[in-house]
Amino acid sequence: MANSISRLEKLYFRLEAQVACLAFAFSEIATRPGLVFELGLGHGRTFDHLRKNLPSREIYVFDRQVDSYPDCTPDTEHIILGELSQTLPVAASRFAGKVILAHCDVGSFSAEHNKTMSTIVSAHLPPALADGALILSDLPLAIPETTRLPLPPGAREDRYFIYRFSSSRT
Amino acid sequence: MANSISRLEKLYFRLEAQVACLAFAFSEIATRPGLVFELGLGHGRTFDHLRKNLPSREIYVFDRQVDSYPDCTPDTEHIILGELSQTLPVAASRFAGKVILAHCDVGSFSAEHNKTMSTIVSAHLPPALADGALILSDLPLAIPETTRLPLPPGAREDRYFIYRFSSSRT
């Protein structure tokens, strides 16, 4: 056997964790009202997964530009383009307390970029969150009002993070 | 539940099948000599998986150009660049009967492209294959000297193909 996982396994385990965490989140929020923030559209695969599994939710997607499959692109009212440091504070104010699920997929191969993105999300996402909201993130976040939850069964990879937001904390 | 799988699940199931099929192949060829052909380098994830799991095998990788992660790029002696219709016949002649495992990942979203690639691989790969060689492919192939094998347990997705080559057939 190999000593370390291959890049193929890395992507596979990452998707496995993502699918398992999203299934957990879909179940957890089933009885709670609220909308969804997707930070990072990318090719639109996760957006497609969100809309298929949450057909009655409004989903707002953030990215710098549209680079998704044509059939995985949100309509113009639900895509918010620009730098997250600019767009997230505005959206968090517009949708204050209404977001029940935030999925954050804004990491890259640059540690410096990841630290910056984690800081931006940690600083500007909280005002948007409803009490009990879940945050799923590819980067560790530092939001005092959240508790980190264990990953659900089926998620082998530990580089994925689930936080629950409580408006009564700190 | 969603009526059809999402693009996220599609990629996830595809990787799941690929990892399971490769594990099956590694076990099957363990006691057989021979080298490996990887048709389609892409980002180099599968090449990384092959070299980690088959550290003593020579692996020759084919693609039009190098677009892989720097740490997943074969050395210049083991990468064969150009159109597969040109490079594969030459390589199959050079390594006649010596390939024990061929991994083919040359499909795209274009049905026409896929048909062309399937025809090229089916026509020009066989002379390279050792008796008992396995072919793993993202496209269906039409090689008379092969038998299609069932996918191993753990592979949910059926759009992946395993063939065993027998030089005594037809």
Side-chain angles (χ1 to χ4, degrees), chain A residues 5-21 137-139 148-162, chain B residues 12:
Chain A
I5 66 169
S6 68
R7 279 199 185 260
L8 187 71
E9 288 169 310
K10 192 173 170 183
L11 179 62
Y12 168 49
F13 292 158
R14 198 252 150 116
L15 285 166
E16 182 182 61
Q18 193 178 355
V19 168
C21 291
S137 176
D138 66 330
L139 298 176
R148 187 177 172 193
L149 304 186
L151 296 193
R156 256 178 289 199
E157 227 250 25
D158 64 355
R159 270 164 299 189
Y160 212 80
F161 303 88
I162 305 181
Chain B
Y12 168 49

Side-chain angles (χ1 to χ4, degrees), chain A residues 108-117 139:
Chain A
S108 75
F109 296 108
S110 155
E112 192 182 353
H113 167 88
N114 290 350
K115 197 173 169 187
T116 301
M117 295 310 290
L139 298 176

Side-chain angles (χ1 to χ4, degrees), chain B residues 44-103:
Chain B
R45 289 193 186 97
T46 306
F47 169 67
D48 189 42
H49 195 64
L50 290 169
R51 68 178 173 180
K52 279 198 159 77
N53 285 276
L54 302 172
S56 61
R57 304 267 182 182
E58 283 215 274
I59 304 171
Y60 289 88
V61 185
F62 299 70
D63 211 324
R64 281 191 199 151
Q65 72 281 317
V66 174
D67 185 30
S68 50
Y69 297 111
D71 65 356
C72 295
T73 302
D75 62 55
T76 52
E77 283 178 32
H78 291 88
I79 183 147
I80 298 171
L81 296 177
E83 293 297 324
L84 209 55
S85 57
Q86 304 293 318
T87 58
L88 190 54
V90 175
S93 171
R94 177 180 167 202
F95 299 109
K98 291 191 176 166
V99 171
I100 193 66
L101 173 63
H103 182 264

